[in-house]
Amino acid sequence: MSAALPLYITSPSVPTEAELSALLRTALESRRLSNAGPLNHQLKLRLSEMLKVPHLALTSNGTAAIEVVARALEFHGKVITTPFTFPATAAALIWTGATPVFVDVEEDFLTIDPNAVEQAMDESVSGILGVHVYGNPCDVVRLDAISKKHRIRLAYDGAHAFGTTYDNVDISRYGDATTFSFHATKIFTTAEGGAICVNSPELHRKIELLSNFGIESEDSVADIGINAKMSEIHAAFGLANLLHYHDDLEQRREIRKCYDEAFANLKGISTLGDRPGISNRLQYYVIRVRDGKRDSVQSDLKSSGVFARRYFYPLLSDIKAYRQVCPSASNPFPNATRAAAEVLALPLSASMKKEDALRVARIIKTSIT
Ligand SMILES: *Cc1c(COP(=O)(O)O)cnc(C)c1O
């Protein structure tokens, strides 16, 4: 048997050189490299059509997108969120002056638990920031009811949920605002980049304003913004990548199916289910390894050149820097704590073959038996 190539958790989708240079030519010839150029406009249009969303703003990355949303929704004081996420979620809140209040997640989907959100609610809470973990949407219906009842704003970090629909509409139609990340590790990538989707035209205008220093016109600065703009180079990369997007999704679907079959009825391993009513959950393939064997499975995979990730571990509430500024971090989070000890994200990308997935599954089977 020949030595197999290493497999990483993700492998970015890239356009061909010809596809990219055809799009880059626009920017090079016009010398328009940023500030709402034609490629930006084109990508915005294509993505809004694809997702069927009314308002989409492009950003320099997914973290800046959350920061802009936090400012646009006037988050201040406490904002309820989850400790089971990537650091950017809570960091963006802290960077914009809010204090994250961590609450536990639901056992089945690892998204923020609406009951826990209700319990954490008090006068100084100004918003909720849910995370659609691994592309599984939060309980958007209950969170919507909670935010309306308490008259606070509701935003989602949808970095894992690009293209996911719930009840046949794009996931970003729920809540006041949803952010996406187009980082190289994400399902649709512009190398670095992101987007913000909202339903309200006024909020969209505010987001565009805040992303561009608050500059309204040549002689008017209407707000204190930041620079969260996507460059024309990144927009070109995104437009070129869109040429392969649907084929990429199909390939990811194949790999997911392969894993699903391999792990069905495998003792000691459970796979993460889809929340009923959703489609296109293809960002990560995550298993839960029981009986304290997660780390040994990870290291057995590594010895065979398969680089799976303990995603998300550690919990944000267990990180010293967050504990210092978030009093809620010392609360117990039983579901999130168990998940952080059991989850393992396996390689999933459009460049993988079925044989790669079978090989990963074989190593895992051997490791746990
Ligand atoms: C990737 C990611 C982000 C950050 O996005 P960037 O584009 O890398 O800034 C935020 N939240 C979650 C859950 C992510 O996975």
Side-chain angles (χ1 to χ4, degrees), residues 61-63 66 85-86 88-89 131 157 159-160 181 183 186 193 311-312:
N61 59 64
T63 308
I66 304 171
T85 183
F86 186 67
T89 314
V131 179
D157 176 348
H160 298 179
S181 163
H183 182 254
K186 303 304 200 290
Y311 203 47
F312 299 107

Side-chain angles (χ1 to χ4, degrees), residues 44-72:
K44 216 183 314 194
L45 214 65
R46 289 288 311 281
L47 295 180
S48 327
E49 280 169 10
M50 212 171 88
L51 303 181
K52 301 191 181 74
V53 296
H55 304 287
L56 181 145
L58 294 171
T59 60
S60 48
N61 59 64
T63 308
I66 304 171
E67 290 175 356
V68 168
V69 161
R71 291 299 294 256

Side-chain angles (χ1 to χ4, degrees), residues 275-295:
R275 191 185 282 280
I278 74 157
S279 69
N280 280 346
R281 195 172 69 78
L282 296 162
Q283 171 70 57
Y284 289 110
Y285 195 95
V286 173
I287 57 171
R288 293 183 68 156
V289 187
R290 312 283 177 190
D291 312 318
K293 288 186 177 164
R294 191 266 313 268
D295 291 358

